[in-house]
Amino acid sequence: MKALVYTAPNEVTYRDEPSPSPAHGEVLIRVERVGICGSDMHAYHGRDPRRVPPLILGHEIVGDIVEGPGRGRRVTVNPLITCGACDYCREGRDNLCANRTMIGMTRAGGFAEWVTTAASSVIDVPPTMPARAAALTEPAATALHAIGLARRSLVRPLADACVLVLGGGAIGLLAALLLQSEGVRSIALGETNPLRRAAAGGACGATVFDPAEGNGVADASVDLVIDAVGARATRAAALAAVKPGGVVMHVGLADWASEIDMRKLTLAEVTLIGTYTYTTADLVATVAALERGAFGDLAWVEERPLAEGANAFRDLHEGRCAAAKVLLQP
Ligand SMILES: [Zn+2]
Ligand SMILES: [Zn+2]
């Protein structure tokens, strides 16, 4: 089969690879679309020790089961393959499964014509759902999960909250769109890339600003910050922007460590929450949300052939891509 293989830092190669065959309890999926994730870019930059070349990346997958249980079903994939038996799995917090593995990381991913995964890690999508919507399930579920956790910690109803989103990539933009569909009126979105800033402004009703030209919001003025970047600068901006008693959701993970303002966190009783991926229930809820149009028309999503994947990675790397999400089509 044809696949786009991460062969070395800053290099992905479109080439022939052995076709996978499903083991017992697995399914073989013919890939319809697969999204390029920020974490794929991280791997491409050689900055993810868990993703070692040569490796087929890609975990934002929609396709049809062509072999194994459920043959003929159109599905999206939960990239996390979980054990179903540990305490976390039994509590429905399967994103924290102690024994989890992941597509496009510990095993071959979806930048290929076919991919195999555990039969228990697929979620049905309606046959009529546009591929560009179905392929957004995974990043959209990350936003939905983060907003769900935030809602539990906010004192006022989400719709009445004043929200700052940092980062206009897929997670930040999808979060802004979902917040809008939840009735949130006050959303500011910071993004440094001017192409993405323009695209985000067209796609959602948020007030879009350039963080290089100021904070976009007054200090201590927002109830909720969603940091979809997770860098030293955004963590500092999030802590500065949040109101006393407010909530900061840490979703992105561009830098792994930095000092944060523990004095403000403590004296202003700020809730700082780390959030990782989604549960199976979040993915199911996200398919339903995409189906009812909660994320808008998705006209900002770009689709390219898998054969041109290397150019897509390069364009994303060089910041030449306005689209917050590029999908590849094998
Ligand atoms: Zn992803
Ligand atoms: Zn488990």
Side-chain angles (χ1 to χ4, degrees):
M1 66 169 179
K2 290 291 184 195
L4 186 71
V5 185
Y6 165 47
T7 37
N10 299 307
E11 182 186 88
V12 286
T13 310
Y14 186 67
R15 69 184 192 193
D16 286 307
E17 284 286 301
S19 297
S21 57
H24 181 71
E26 292 187 348
V27 290
L28 178 68
I29 296 170
R30 185 187 60 80
V31 178
E32 195 181 338
R33 296 286 193 290
V34 51
I36 302 178
C37 181
S39 63
D40 294 319
M41 292 308 298
H42 226 62
Y44 175 78
H45 292 135
R47 282 194 275 156
D48 185 348
R50 302 167 305 173
R51 290 174 166 95
V52 181
L55 176 69
I56 303 174
L57 299 167
H59 57 263
E60 303 179 357
I61 301 164
V62 58
D64 297 301
I65 298 178
V66 291
E67 218 181 301
R71 196 172 153 198
R73 281 162 58 193
R74 186 173 187 235
V75 294
T76 184
V77 170
N78 182 352
L80 302 176
I81 300 174
T82 56
C83 74
C86 72
D87 285 350
Y88 292 113
C89 283
R90 285 198 299 236
E91 290 162 1
R93 298 196 293 165
D94 43 315
N95 58 322
L96 302 178
C97 171
N99 308 305
R100 67 179 186 261
T101 56
M102 190 178 175
I103 288 262
M105 189 166 84
T106 56
R107 57 188 286 159
F111 292 140
E113 290 179 274
W114 292 290
V115 64
T116 59
T117 190
S120 55
S121 296
V122 297
I123 287 126
D124 285 302
V125 296
T128 50
M129 186 187 264
R132 65 165 54 209
L136 283 190
T137 304
E138 193 266 357
T142 302
L144 182 139
H145 181 75
I147 290 169
L149 289 182
R151 197 198 301 266
R152 289 202 322 221
S153 299
L154 283 168
V155 174
R156 52 169 61 182
L158 180 61
D160 296 336
C162 186
V163 185
L164 169 64
V165 178
L166 296 171
I171 305 292
L173 182 52
L174 288 162
L177 289 164
L178 188 58
L179 288 165
Q180 234 179 288
S181 83
E182 295 274 349
V184 180
R185 288 173 303 277
S186 172
I187 308 172
L189 187 153
E191 167 60 47
T192 51
N193 180 321
L195 294 173
R196 283 211 168 152
R197 210 160 48 234
C204 73
T207 307
V208 180
F209 68 94
D210 180 0
E213 287 176 359
N215 288 338
V217 295
D219 277 2
S221 69
V222 303
D223 301 288
L224 168 63
V225 185
I226 296 181
D227 183 354
V229 180
R232 180 182 299 261
T234 56
R235 280 191 283 268
L239 259 294
V242 71
K243 261 184 192 168
V247 178
V248 174
M249 300 302 304
H250 197 257
V251 191
L253 199 53
D255 301 337
W256 290 5
S258 59
E259 246 176 53
I260 57 169
D261 185 349
M262 293 306 288
R263 182 170 188 274
K264 163 130 188 208
L265 190 89
T266 305
L267 300 186
E269 206 165 85
V270 169
T271 305
L272 171 62
I273 304 179
T275 163
Y276 176 66
T277 65
Y278 31 71
T279 65
T280 303
D282 292 322
L283 289 161
V284 171
T286 302
V287 171
L290 283 160
E291 176 75 346
R292 67 169 184 269
F295 296 91
D297 66 6
L298 306 179
W300 48 273
V301 176
E302 196 180 312
E303 298 180 80
R304 302 191 189 189
L306 182 65
E308 289 163 31
N311 285 334
F313 270 81
R314 210 167 304 125
D315 286 349
L316 286 164
H317 167 64
E318 286 168 9
R320 276 183 301 180
C321 194
K325 180 59 68 185
V326 177
L327 304 179
L328 300 176
Q329 180 175 10

